């Protein structure tokens, strides 16, 4: 799936070559330059596990750029876990990823920070689908619930239009986290979830997530007959719907800027992360 959308992006950016500049340097937009970058990334992916083992700190069961750091590096460890999840068979000599995840959940990460909250939620859902590490720690469950609440509060607002509070990069991570909270086995038709629908859908969260790891205000359900977690599931679904609306608008807008040769407004980062949100959410 990633390769398919990377080909789409490459074709879009190679179709026309405006001299886009960012920070004084021309962006590499040609097909040849993109292929060269792809080759470098492939080499890095092939040797990623070997390189990452040198950054593992056995003292804290985490990854760190600076050896012997007194505190666990939340961002570094989270991104290292996501890299391991992308190629789990390459990681054979280090500790089990769930060990690193348990250390991450117990660390002093900021649950009220949308970026750290999203990284921790994504790492937990991808590396521990059964939520065993989360279920074994009541303290982590309470913090995880606050992180979910922070992610839902960071959703895009229709009234903000183009002036959203969070960047396209941040909106991608909060959308990614929201997607992983839902139960993939429960098919959802967004149109049926709108207010006033004749047969409202019943979105549900992943069954492995403990009830104590959900925001208390939403865990009991939002309306008459609402089951446990149903209110939170509806909030997650609405956050994803808003995120996709804004992402689709950003993709169309950025493609229009690119086609018009407007180098002052075209932003390849916004285009890339908006396209990822549309594809993954």
């Amino acid at each position: 799936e990633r390769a398919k959308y990377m080909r789409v992006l490459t074709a879009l950016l190679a179709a026309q070559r405006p001299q886009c500049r960012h920070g004084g340097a021309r962006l590499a937009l040609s097909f040849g330059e993109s292929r060269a970058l792809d080759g470098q990334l492939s080499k890095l992916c092939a040797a990623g596990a070997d390189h990452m083992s040198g950054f593992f700190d056995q003292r804290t069961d985490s990854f760190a750029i600076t050896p012997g750091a007194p505190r666990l590096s939340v961002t570094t460890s989270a991104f290292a876990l996501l890299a391991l999840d992308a190629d789990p068979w390459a990681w054979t000599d280090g500790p089990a990823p769930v060990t690193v995840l348990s250390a991450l959940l117990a660390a002093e990460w900021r649950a009220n920070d949308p970026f750290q909250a999203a990284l921790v939620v994504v790492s937990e859902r991808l590396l521990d689908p059964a939520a065993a590490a989360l279920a074994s720690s009541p303290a982590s469950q309470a913090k995880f619930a606050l992180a979910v609440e922070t992610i839902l509060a960071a959703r895009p607002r229709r009234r903000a239009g183009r002036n959203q509070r969070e960047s396209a990069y941040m909106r991608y991570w909060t959308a990614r986290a929201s997607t992983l909270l839902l139960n993939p086995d429960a098919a959802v038709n967004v149109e049926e979830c709108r207010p006033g629908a004749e047969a409202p859908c019943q979105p549900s969260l992943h069954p492995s997530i403990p009830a104590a790891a959900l925001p208390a205000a939403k865990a009991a359900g939002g309306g008459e007959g609402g089951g446990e977690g149903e209110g939170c599931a509806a909030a997650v679904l609405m956050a994803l719907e808003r995120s996709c609306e804004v992402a689709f608008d950003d993709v169309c807008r950025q493609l229009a800027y690119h086609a018009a040769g407007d180098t002052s407004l075209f932003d390849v980062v916004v285009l890339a992360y908006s396209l990822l949100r549309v594809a993954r959410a």
Side-chain angles (χ1 to χ4, degrees):
E1 181 179 294
R2 185 187 73 172
K4 179 180 69 175
Y5 284 98
M6 284 301 295
R7 287 195 298 270
V8 172
L9 274 178
T10 301
L12 289 171
L13 298 179
Q16 298 183 34
R17 294 193 59 195
Q19 296 297 308
C20 297
R21 293 185 174 273
H22 183 72
R26 183 181 65 82
L27 292 176
L29 300 180
S30 74
F31 181 79
E33 289 166 332
S34 298
R35 289 293 296 173
L37 177 61
D38 185 63
Q40 295 175 13
L41 291 174
S42 297
K43 292 180 181 178
L44 181 61
C45 290
D50 292 335
H51 287 306
M52 286 174 54
S53 61
F55 293 96
F56 183 72
D57 188 344
Q58 295 183 353
R59 181 179 53 86
T60 59
D61 283 333
S62 66
F63 290 87
I65 297 177
T66 304
R71 296 180 59 183
L72 183 147
S73 177
V74 174
T75 304
T76 302
S77 295
F79 276 118
L81 284 172
L82 295 179
L84 295 182
D85 178 70
D87 191 11
W89 302 108
W91 182 255
T92 57
D93 298 330
V98 69
T99 302
V100 182
L101 178 62
S102 296
L104 176 63
L105 290 173
E108 297 179 8
W109 53 280
R110 298 185 299 276
N112 60 350
D113 180 340
F115 185 50
Q116 287 199 1
L119 284 182
V120 171
V121 169
V122 171
S123 299
E124 195 282 330
R125 297 309 307 142
L126 288 178
L127 274 298
D128 187 21
L134 191 61
S136 64
S137 174
S140 296
Q141 292 178 32
K143 204 168 182 181
F144 191 89
L146 179 57
V148 173
E149 191 168 1
T150 298
I151 291 169
L152 295 179
R155 67 173 174 82
R157 261 62 176 181
R158 282 177 173 171
R159 62 178 177 272
R162 295 174 56 193
N163 302 313
Q164 298 294 329
R165 182 180 60 181
E166 306 293 350
S167 66
Y169 178 71
M170 268 304 311
R171 294 198 294 272
Y172 163 74
W173 280 111
T174 53
R176 182 74 173 128
S178 299
T179 302
L180 293 171
L181 290 172
L182 289 173
N183 182 2
D185 296 327
V188 172
N189 185 336
V190 174
E191 291 297 326
E192 295 177 355
C193 295
R194 297 184 186 280
E198 294 183 3
C201 69
Q202 297 295 326
S204 62
L205 298 178
H206 199 285
S208 67
I209 302 176
L214 300 176
K218 297 181 175 65
E224 184 178 352
E228 188 173 358
E230 184 178 323
C232 187
V236 171
L237 189 63
M238 184 179 69
L240 280 174
E241 181 183 1
R242 296 292 186 271
S243 184
C244 287
E245 288 176 357
V246 173
F248 183 77
D249 180 71
D250 282 339
V251 168
C252 295
R253 194 180 303 277
Q254 291 302 320
L255 290 179
Y257 291 151
H258 186 269
D262 192 335
T263 59
S264 63
L265 292 176
F266 175 71
D267 191 328
V268 69
V269 175
V270 174
L271 175 60
Y273 280 104
S274 298
L275 184 59
L276 280 172
R277 294 211 314 279
V278 172
R280 292 198 168 185

